[in-house]
Amino acid sequence: IGFLRHPARSLLRQQAHVALSAYEDELCTDLPIELDGLQRYQIGDRVLTQLMKGTDPLLAANMETHAGTLPPCAMGAQVLDSILHRAATIARTARPLTAEAPHDIDLRIVLGREVGTGRVRLHGHALVSHSFAKLNGRQVIESWLALVALAAGGADDDTIAVLVNLDGTMCLRAPAAAAARGLLSDFVALRRAGLRQLVPLPIRTAAKWSGLL
C-alpha cells in the first residue's frame, strides 16, 4: 500500500536510496481571514476525529475556536458551522459502523517467490474508512487492496469495506479467493515494475480515466 500511496517516492528510496522527509509546517501567527481548501480540510479532519471519539459537537467546535485557526468573529463562526455540520454527517454514518470492537488480522500470503505480509483492522466484518474529503482514487484503491489481501488470505466471504466521506458512502465487497490471488499477483508485478521506472498512470489519473470517480 505504501507503494500505491507514493510510487515515485518508493522508486527513489529503492533505486537512489533517497528518502523524502516530511517537513512540518511552521506555526503561523497570522490571523486567518479566509481559509483555503487545505485549511478547511485540516479543521474538518480535527473536528471529525473528535466526533468519532464521541466528543460533544459543541465541545469539538469550542476546541477549534480556541485553537486560533479560524477567521475572527462572525466569519469564523459561519465557517465552523459549515464544517461542523459536514463532519457530523460523516460521523453519524461512520460511528455505527465502528461500534464493534476492532480486531486486527495479520496476513502472510505467498505468491510464487514473493511473500506479502500486513495487518488489516476490522470492525466485525467491515473495514471502515472515513475522511473529511471527497472520495478519491487513493482511498478506494487502498481499501480495495486490503479487501483483496484479506480474501487471498482466507478471510470470510462477507468481508466488506465501507468508505465514508463528503460525497457519501461507498461499499466494496471482497472478490473470491482465487480471483484475489490473481489480482495480488498483478499488483506484485506492478510494484516490481514501478520500482524500476515511474508508473505511467498515477492513481488520480487512472481513477478518472477508468470512470471509477
Side-chain angles (χ1 to χ4, degrees):
I1 291 180
F3 168 77
L4 285 176
R5 291 193 187 107
H6 300 289
R9 182 178 297 178
S10 298
L11 175 63
L12 285 172
R13 184 183 297 113
Q14 176 78 12
Q15 297 296 339
H17 306 290
V18 174
L20 301 179
S21 301
Y23 294 95
E24 294 185 1
D25 294 334
E26 295 183 3
L27 179 64
C28 180
T29 58
D30 296 333
L31 183 66
I33 300 299
E34 185 176 358
L35 303 181
D36 58 27
L38 177 59
Q39 291 170 319
R40 286 176 177 268
Y41 165 77
Q42 291 171 336
I43 294 172
D45 182 62
R46 288 193 294 269
V47 171
L48 178 58
T49 298
Q50 291 300 321
L51 296 182
M52 289 299 296
K53 293 178 180 179
T55 304
D56 182 84
L58 291 179
L59 178 57
N62 286 335
M63 292 169 63
E64 201 60 45
T65 298
H66 294 301
T69 56
L70 294 164
C73 305
M75 290 187 296
Q78 184 177 5
V79 169
L80 185 56
D81 284 347
S82 174
I83 291 175
L84 182 60
H85 173 74
R86 303 176 83 179
T89 299
I90 297 172
R92 278 195 299 270
T93 301
R95 285 198 67 196
L97 299 171
T98 59
E100 292 191 45
H103 62 281
D104 295 331
I105 297 181
D106 293 316
L107 298 170
R108 185 179 186 276
I109 304 169
V110 179
L111 297 169
R113 293 180 297 175
E114 303 280 350
V115 178
T117 61
R119 174 175 295 174
V120 180
R121 172 159 294 187
L122 298 179
H123 294 268
H125 294 281
L127 169 67
V128 182
S129 169
H130 55 81
S131 172
F132 191 84
K134 292 184 176 180
L135 186 66
N136 59 73
R138 181 179 296 175
Q139 186 184 15
V140 174
I141 196 65
E142 287 181 3
S143 296
W144 170 245
L145 185 58
L147 277 182
V148 170
L150 284 168
D156 294 337
D157 293 338
D158 56 352
T159 304
I160 62 173
V162 184
L163 292 69
V164 188
N165 45 66
L166 291 175
D167 293 324
T169 304
M170 173 182 279
C171 183
L172 305 173
R173 294 194 174 276
R181 294 185 68 85
L183 290 167
L184 273 186
S185 296
D186 291 341
F187 169 71
V188 169
L190 174 65
R191 182 179 181 275
R192 191 183 298 118
L195 294 179
R196 293 195 301 267
Q197 61 185 33
L198 283 175
V199 175
L201 198 59
I203 289 179
R204 181 179 299 179
T205 305
K208 290 291 186 182
W209 178 81
S210 66
L212 175 64
L213 301 175

